[in-house]
Structure formats: structure tokens, C-alpha cells
């Protein structure tokens, strides 16, 4: 309670201090941003921990009515302070920060008062991350970690009591997910956390960590049992419906298009891709098959894709293959004059460290905003632990062609290059509230742009690219149709397997993902569509230069494309 009073007092002090107008608006605005960020972390201490800001690591707020009111008050107060500035007086980078802060603050009210997943999604209540993020932090010492953990453990009981009060008519899928995840949380506390805490000598002043962990686990078990006993007679649909979907899309994507517009674009793109895929299959057919091509175009495409997928790396040289491709991608980007790549920031490929090696694959591992000295890596998992059957299936999926597209997406000129540019325009706001549609959209745009410029030009490459791109397109169609048009699992699987040529396991995984999340699956195609449309618009100008366009676009950091567009079209 003391903390709440304290923060309200802090807030009113801030309002007074930033209502005084001074001559240097950008300096004032920078100061406002710093106060906003710190106040934001005070309200969301576990999110703060997850990005490496540890000032509030001792807090684990129960999501009760008091906390919700605290969020609403924070949102309203800071919107008032924000509106004391006029976006027109700010420089371009601050203009974008202004829009992003406004969106973040308005989102708070939407999620608390309208979306209300805190009532129907029990999987939102999980303390594993609140502890794991402290344990894994690399910018605080172990003794501080230990004390923060003990303080958070003390609040677990209140946390789950509030959760039980909040839950009303939850959906069955989210309840099942919560039960499953709470098993993982119990296991984390009983094993990893206990092991970490066991390294410290018992402090007489504090309750021993074993007891605290024991109590916390008992509380999670109680919560799990409560969820298991819930009846789902008046089962709430996990589908959120058109109205909420459009609102969530607006806040999460920050797109200049509506969800429905993006959905229509995706439908058109899908049919273009099918036409192109069939024509490529016809062209390639006689090189790969003796028999004549089936008249069913989707069947023919599927057969062609399966055949071309057989060209792939050997399991033992998968990682070397990726390492070999990176300099080739850089050389191509340079030769074709597509984007300046800073030679002082070369990409570092490494084996995925064991502690983060879950699913095999490749991904960019970027340090958090408060972890400035940490390096960015391209993590690649080896296939050592896979059976020969699993490895073969994986290698076919990431075949010779798709593997190159994956490297374009993750590394050059995709995520890695984007990150290097984003770091040159340092903005805490853009790092903390980085727009996923822009980030994923850039990587997806990069794939197409490389092929447009003749990278690895062949019909096989184009075929595989189209298949890969169909995944982003169909993610959007799937997400929209399930949530807005009430699609059932069968219809969804048909889209993914027969029209997007996915394997059954992948398709079933996607169905699960779409039933527990909303909008997120749209970010790839939404961002891509916006960036592409912006480029085509700018191309109409006589002095258009592709390299300059890319560099200017990336210079604004991980900001929503619609805000970058406003500045670039000015
Ligand atoms: Zn093979
Ligand atoms: Zn990506």
C-alpha cells in the first residue's frame, strides 16, 4: 500500500514539473520520456525485470482491483502530461516516440476495461518468468538476485488469490493452457529456483528459501486444482469476434490499415501465389518427374514442393552451411547496392546455448535495452539430438532454398541488419515498445527484395520463396478467419495443409497458437504489406533510390510503419 501512495505522489509531482514550458521542447520531452519509463516499470515490475531493469525486482503485484486502478490512473495521468506537448514541435524521432507512448498508454485502458483477458484467460497468471528473469539476468549480482527472489516469493500467495477472484467464465483452451503451464512453473520453482537459492547461506533475518518455495508451490498447486475443477457449461468462446479483433489489431499492430483490409490483401496475395506456384510447377515438372502433371493444381504444387525439398544440407554440416551463407548474403547486398552494412558490426553465428535451446532452429538473440554491453548473436541449433527421421524432416523443411531465405530473414538484410540500424538511433521508447509488425515486416520484406534483385535466381528458388511467403499470408488469413469468421479446426487445417502446403504437425501447432492468441500472427504480413506499399509509393518520385530508401526507413528504429511513413512522405 505504501508503494501505491508513494507512486501517486510521484505522479502528481511530475505533472507539475512538466507543465512548465521551456524553450527547448525536445529536451523537455526527453526528460518526460525518462520519467514515463521509470513510472511505467514501477507499474509493471515483472516486465521491467524481463528487459533488464532491476529497480523494481522486489515487487510482484497481485493483479487486483487496486492494481488495475493504478494502471488506469497511470494511463490517464501520463496521457495528460503527454498532451502538454505538441507533436508538431518535436523532431522526427521524438514525434514517433510521442505516437508510441500515446499508443502504449491507450492500450493500457483497452486491456483493463475492454479486452479484459484478465477475466477469461487464466494463463495470464504465471510467476515463472518473474523468477527466471531474475535468475538469468546478467547485469545484477547474485546476492541481489537472491534477495529479490525471496521478496517476490513472499508475494506469490496474494498473487494467486487475486487471480482466483479475477477469473470469470474463462475459455476452456486458456484454462487448459494455464494448467499445463502451471506444471512447468512448479517444476521450475522446485528444481531450478531451489538450486539457485541453495547456493546462498541462510540469513537469520529471512525465512529460508526452501520454506518460501514450498509455500509458493502449494499456492500454485491450489490454483491448478481450482482450474481443474472449473466447469465449462456456459463455455466462453476463445474467438474474440470482429469488434474486439479490430480494436486489438489497432493497438497491437499500429497499422494504417484495418484488420479487414489486411485480410483482403492476404486473400489476394494467396491467389496470386497459387497462380505463380502452379505456373512454376508446370515449368519445372519435366525436370523432376516422368509422369504427367496432375490437373489438380494444388496437388501438383504440393508434389513439386516435396520434390524440390529433397535438395538440402547434410545434418552434420547444417551449421557450417549457415555460416558460409552469411558472407555471401552480405556480399550480395553490397554488390547490388541495397543497404549499407556496418563492417564494424559483423554478425556472430554461434550454437544456441543449452539454456535456451528448446526448439531446433535459428534466431537472433538480441540483448535487452538495459544490457548495452551484451552482444547480438545469430543462434543456430545443431541437429545432434534429433533422430535420423526427425533430422531428415527438418532438413527438408529448411532445404537448400528455404535455408537461404531463413538467413535473409533472420540475418542479412533481415533482423540482424535492422537491429544494427535501430541501435544507431537509440530510443528507449522504440526499444521497449518496439513495433512487431515493423520488425517482422522488415524481415519479410527483405526476403522479397533480395529475390527481386536476383538473389539465387532460379525457378526452384522462386517456388520455395512463394511457399515460404504463403506461410505469412496464411497466418493472417487463419488468425482473422478463426477469430472473426468463426472458423473451426477442420477448416483451419485445410487452409494450412492444402493451400499453404504445411505438414500436419506444423498445422496443428498453428491451430493451437491461433486459439490461445489473437492478432499476433498477422504481424508478418501486415508489416510487409505496409513497407511494400510505402516503397511503391515513394518509387513514383523521380529521385527514388532503393538503398537510400532502406537506410532512411531503418534509421527511425523499430517504429510503426505508419509513423515512419508520415515522416518519409512529408
Ligand atoms: Zn534427404
Ligand atoms: Zn522474424
Amino acid at each position: 500500500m505504501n508503494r501505491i501512495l508513494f507512486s501517486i505522489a510521484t505522479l502528481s509531482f511530475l505533472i507539475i514539473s512538466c507543465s512548465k514550458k521551456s524553450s527547448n521542447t525536445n529536451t523537455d520531452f526527453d526528460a518526460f520520456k525518462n520519467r514515463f519509463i521509470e513510472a511505467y516499470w514501477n507499474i509493471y515490475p515483472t516486465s521491467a525485470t524481463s528487459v533488464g531493469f532491476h529497480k523494481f525486482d522486489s515487487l510482484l503485484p497481485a493483479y487486483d482491483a487496486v492494481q488495475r486502478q493504478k494502471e488506469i490512473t497511470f494511463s490517464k495521468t501520463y496521457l495528460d502530461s503527454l498532451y502538454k506537448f505538441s507533436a508538431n514541435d518535436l523532431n522526427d524521432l521524438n514525434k514517433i516516440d510521442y505516437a508510441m507512448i500515446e499508443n502504449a498508454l491507450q492500450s493500457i485502458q483497452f486491456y483493463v476495461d475492454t479486452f479484459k483477458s484478465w477475466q477469461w484467460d487464466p494463463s495470464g497468471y504465471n510467476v515463472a518468468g518473474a523468477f527466471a528473469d531474475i535468475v538469468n539476468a546478467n547485469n545484477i549480482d547474485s546476492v541481489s538476485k537472491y534477495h529479490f527472489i525471496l521478496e517476490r516469493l513472499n508475494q506469490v500467495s496474494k498473487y494467486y488469490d487475486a487471480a482466483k477472484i479475477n477469473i470469470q467464465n474463462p475459455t476452456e483452451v486458456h484454462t487448459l493452457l494455464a494448467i499445463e503451464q502451471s506444471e512447468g512453473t512448479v517444476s521450475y520453482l522446485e528444481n531450478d529456483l531451489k538450486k539457485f537459492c541453495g547456493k546462498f547461506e541462510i540469513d537469520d533475518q529471512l525465512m529460508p528459501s526452501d520454506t518460501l518455495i514450498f509455500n509458493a508451490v502449494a499456492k500454485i498447486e491450489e490454483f491448478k486444482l481450482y482450474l481443474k475443477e472449473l466447469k465449462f457449461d456456459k463455455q466462453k468462446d476463445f474467438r474474440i469476434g470482429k469488434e474486439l479483433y479490430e480494436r486489438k489489431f489497432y493497438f497491437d499492430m499500429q497499422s494504417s490499415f484495418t484488420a479487414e483490409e489486411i485480410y483482403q490483401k492476404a486473400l489476394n496475395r494467396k491467389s496470386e501465389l497459387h497462380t505463380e506456384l502452379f505456373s512454376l510447377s508446370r515449368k519445372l515438372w519435366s525436370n523432376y518427374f516422368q509422369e504427367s502433371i496432375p490437373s489438380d493444381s494444388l496437388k501438383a504444387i504440393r508434389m513439386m514442393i516435396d520434390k524440390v525439398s529433397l535438395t538440402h544440407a547434410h545434418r552434420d554440416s547444417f551449421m557450417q552451411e549457415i555460416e558460409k551463407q552469411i558472407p555471401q548474403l552480405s556480399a550480395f547486398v553490397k554488390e547490388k547496392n541495397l543497404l549499407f552494412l556496418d563492417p564494424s558490426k559483423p554478425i556472430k553465428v554461434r550454437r544456441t546455448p543449452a539454456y535456451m535451446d528448446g526448439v531446433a532452429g535459428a534466431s537472433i538473440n538480441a540483448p535487452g535495452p538495459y544490457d548495452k554491453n551484451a552482444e547480438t548473436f545469430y543462434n543456430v541449433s545443431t541437429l545432434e539430438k534429433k533422430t535420423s527421421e526427425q533430422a531428415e524432416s527438418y532438413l527438408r523443411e529448411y532445404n537448400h532454398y528455404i535455408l537461404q531465405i531463413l538467413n535473409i530473414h533472420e540475418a542479412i538484410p533481415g533482423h540482424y541488419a535492422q537491429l544494427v540500424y535501430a541501435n544507431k538511433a537509440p530510443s528507449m521508447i522504440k526499444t521497449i515498445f518496439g513495433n512487431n509488425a515493423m520488425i517482422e515486416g522488415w524481415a519479410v520484406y527483405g526476403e522479397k527484395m533480395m529475390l527481386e534483385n536476383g538473389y539465387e535466381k532460379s525457378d526452384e528458388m522462386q517456388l520455395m520463396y512463394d511457399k515460404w511467403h504463403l506461410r505469412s499470408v496464411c497466418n493472417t488469413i487463419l488468425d482473422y478467419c478463426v477469430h472473426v469468421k468463426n472458423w473451426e479446426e477442420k477448416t483451419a487445417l485445410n487452409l494450412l495443409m492444402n493451400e499453404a502446403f504445411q505438414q500436419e504437425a506444423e498445422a496443428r501447432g498453428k491451430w493451437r497458437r491461433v486459439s490461445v492468441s489473437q492478432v499476433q500472427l498477422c504481424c508478418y504480413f501486415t508489416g510487409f504489406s505496409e513497407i511494400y506499399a510505402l516503397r511503391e509509393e515513394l518509387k513514383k518520385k523521380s529521385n527514388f533510390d532503393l538503398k537510400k530508401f532502406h537506410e532512411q526507413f531503418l534509421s527511425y528504429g523499430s517504429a510503426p510503419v505508419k509513423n515512419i511513413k508520415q515522416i518519409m512522405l512529408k
Side-chain angles (χ1 to χ4, degrees):
M1 191 51 95
N2 280 340
R3 273 189 184 105
I4 295 157
L5 290 177
F6 170 74
S7 71
I8 291 169
T10 316
L11 293 187
S12 40
F13 168 74
L14 295 179
I15 306 155
I16 298 159
S17 64
C18 62
S19 61
K20 277 190 279 172
K21 267 246 148 116
S22 95
S23 55
N24 200 335
T25 316
N26 283 302
T27 314
D28 284 354
F29 191 70
D30 288 339
F32 163 75
K33 287 193 292 188
N34 290 334
R35 291 191 299 269
F36 161 75
I37 290 168
E38 177 139 353
Y40 185 85
W41 292 142
N42 192 9
I43 307 273
Y44 301 100
T46 56
S47 307
T49 308
S50 73
V51 298
F53 186 78
H54 300 291
K55 189 172 172 183
F56 304 115
D57 276 7
S58 58
L59 304 179
L60 179 69
Y63 197 66
D64 53 13
V66 176
Q67 175 70 14
R68 288 194 289 278
Q69 190 49 52
K70 198 172 151 185
E71 291 186 6
I72 296 292
T73 307
F74 168 75
S75 164
K76 290 184 174 161
T77 314
Y78 270 84
L79 276 171
D80 282 350
S81 311
L82 180 73
Y83 294 147
K84 298 218 163 69
F85 293 91
S86 160
N88 290 328
D89 300 338
L90 301 171
N91 64 34
D92 286 347
L93 288 172
N94 271 338
K95 270 195 185 82
I96 299 178
D97 282 354
Y98 182 104
M100 291 175 83
I101 293 172
E102 185 180 28
N103 184 76
L105 290 168
Q106 289 173 343
S107 296
I108 292 174
Q109 295 182 35
F110 167 72
Y111 281 104
V112 174
D113 289 336
T114 308
F115 197 66
K116 292 188 176 175
S117 55
W118 52 271
Q119 288 183 336
W120 50 262
D121 177 7
S123 74
Y125 302 100
N126 193 328
V127 295
F131 294 104
D133 290 336
I134 295 180
V135 171
N136 296 331
N138 43 26
N139 55 351
I140 41 167
D141 64 274
S142 298
V143 179
S144 308
K145 286 183 182 184
Y146 177 63
H147 284 270
F148 288 143
I149 288 167
L150 295 187
E151 291 198 60
R152 277 196 176 164
L153 280 169
N154 259 320
Q155 298 163 78
V156 167
S157 177
K158 259 190 84 181
Y159 177 93
Y160 282 102
D161 284 340
K164 266 180 8 191
I165 293 170
N166 290 344
I167 293 167
Q168 281 171 41
N169 200 16
T171 81
E172 191 167 11
V173 285
H174 291 100
T175 307
L176 293 175
L177 179 67
I179 293 168
E180 193 184 306
Q181 289 182 341
S182 62
E183 277 156 21
T185 305
V186 165
S187 153
Y188 180 79
L189 263 63
E190 283 184 331
N191 300 300
D192 308 59
L193 193 66
K194 197 178 258 179
K195 206 167 133 196
F196 177 83
C197 292
K199 289 185 293 197
F200 298 91
E201 293 197 11
I202 295 169
D203 185 330
D204 293 341
Q205 306 291 312
L206 299 159
M207 211 190 275
S209 59
D210 276 9
T211 313
L212 288 171
I213 291 173
F214 180 86
N215 292 343
V217 165
K219 204 68 199 181
I220 300 167
E221 293 288 3
E222 184 193 306
F223 182 65
K224 201 172 87 187
L225 194 69
Y226 166 79
L227 295 177
K228 278 184 170 166
E229 284 170 352
L230 286 173
K231 299 274 181 288
F232 296 100
D233 309 331
K234 300 179 290 168
Q235 194 198 117
K236 183 187 159 68
D237 195 351
F238 66 80
R239 297 168 181 84
I240 62 173
K242 186 167 170 56
E243 205 186 317
L244 271 188
Y245 193 89
E246 280 291 357
R247 297 282 288 154
K248 191 174 197 287
F249 186 90
Y250 172 84
F251 288 116
D252 292 2
M253 297 289 114
Q254 293 168 265
S255 166
S256 48
F257 297 108
T258 64
E260 192 176 353
E261 285 166 345
I262 287 293
Y263 164 65
Q264 289 300 337
K265 279 178 189 292
L267 282 183
N268 293 339
R269 190 81 188 110
K270 183 184 75 168
S271 82
E272 281 168 20
L273 286 166
H274 280 166
T275 306
E276 188 171 270
L277 278 164
F278 189 49
S279 123
L280 286 163
S281 299
R282 274 201 309 249
K283 243 170 110 184
L284 284 167
W285 194 263
S286 62
N287 301 343
Y288 289 87
F289 293 98
Q290 304 261 292
E291 73 233 60
S292 56
I293 189 164
S295 55
D296 177 345
S297 63
L298 292 178
K299 192 178 166 202
I301 296 167
R302 158 72 79 178
M303 286 173 74
M304 200 64 238
I305 287 171
D306 287 348
K307 198 70 159 187
V308 176
S309 300
L310 297 177
T311 307
H312 60 70
H314 189 272
R315 63 179 292 168
D316 298 333
S317 55
F318 185 69
M319 183 150 169
Q320 287 91 308
E321 196 58 45
I322 290 178
E323 278 180 309
K324 205 177 79 191
Q325 280 173 19
I326 304 297
Q328 291 168 356
L329 290 170
S330 306
F332 184 85
V333 167
K334 203 171 165 187
E335 179 203 322
K336 297 281 175 172
N337 228 354
L338 302 175
L339 180 70
F340 170 75
L341 298 170
D342 188 344
S344 71
K345 304 262 186 291
I347 184 163
K348 294 186 176 68
V349 183
R350 69 167 181 188
R351 274 178 77 143
T352 310
Y355 73 93
M356 49 170 84
D357 202 3
V359 273
S363 64
I364 290 297
N365 180 235
Y370 295 94
D371 231 351
K372 288 195 187 92
N373 300 323
E375 284 178 302
T376 300
F377 292 99
Y378 187 21
N379 286 339
V380 179
S381 302
T382 64
L383 307 181
E384 280 160 15
K385 285 185 198 134
K386 287 185 180 286
T387 64
S388 52
E389 208 172 281
Q390 287 168 332
E392 176 64 20
S393 152
Y394 187 78
L395 290 164
R396 283 185 192 179
E397 191 178 346
Y398 291 96
N399 57 63
H400 173 72
Y401 306 97
I402 299 279
L403 188 58
Q404 299 181 64
I405 302 169
L406 178 74
N407 288 329
I408 291 172
H409 180 103
E410 297 292 340
I412 292 167
H415 291 317
Y416 194 90
Q418 192 262 322
L419 238 140
V420 172
Y421 272 86
N423 289 339
K424 279 187 195 155
S427 153
M428 223 41 170
I429 298 294
K430 292 179 191 83
T431 313
I432 296 167
F433 301 103
N435 181 263
N436 257 334
M438 181 275 179
I439 294 168
E440 288 303 340
W442 170 260
V444 175
Y445 165 78
E447 300 159 5
K448 185 173 170 67
M449 186 273 289
M450 288 289 273
L451 264 70
E452 283 174 340
N453 284 281
Y455 181 78
E456 279 280 309
K457 200 172 174 61
S458 72
D459 292 332
E460 283 88 346
M461 188 66 169
Q462 192 63 47
L463 179 97
M464 282 300 170
Y465 166 79
D466 286 356
K467 187 240 177 189
W468 173 267
H469 188 49
L470 207 45
R471 181 150 86 177
S472 313
V473 171
C474 287
N475 277 347
T476 299
I477 297 173
L478 174 78
D479 203 64
Y480 190 83
C481 287
V482 169
H483 285 286
V484 175
K485 296 180 177 290
N486 282 311
W487 271 20
E488 297 290 340
E489 183 173 8
K490 210 179 124 201
T491 323
L493 292 181
N494 181 57
L495 170 81
L496 298 174
M497 291 167 68
N498 298 327
E499 294 198 68
F501 315 106
Q502 295 178 6
Q503 299 299 322
E504 189 177 340
E506 187 187 355
R508 289 202 184 274
K510 223 19 109 40
W511 167 257
R512 196 176 144 83
R513 190 168 152 195
V514 75
S515 55
V516 295
S517 70
Q518 321 80 20
V519 175
Q520 200 273 336
L521 279 168
C522 298
C523 72
Y524 308 86
F525 185 68
T526 302
F528 163 80
S529 302
E530 292 194 286
I531 297 169
Y532 202 78
L534 172 62
R535 187 190 79 181
E536 294 309 291
E537 172 117 34
L538 285 165
K539 256 187 176 174
K540 291 177 197 153
K541 295 186 177 175
S542 59
N543 60 348
F544 179 81
D545 178 301
L546 189 62
K547 182 167 181 274
K548 279 197 188 119
F549 164 71
H550 292 151
E551 289 165 2
Q552 195 189 343
F553 178 80
L554 292 180
S555 73
Y556 301 108
S558 307
V561 181
K562 83 171 165 190
N563 300 121
I564 298 176
K565 181 177 156 186
Q566 278 168 356
I567 291 166
M568 287 186 78
L569 288 180
K570 197 166 58 184

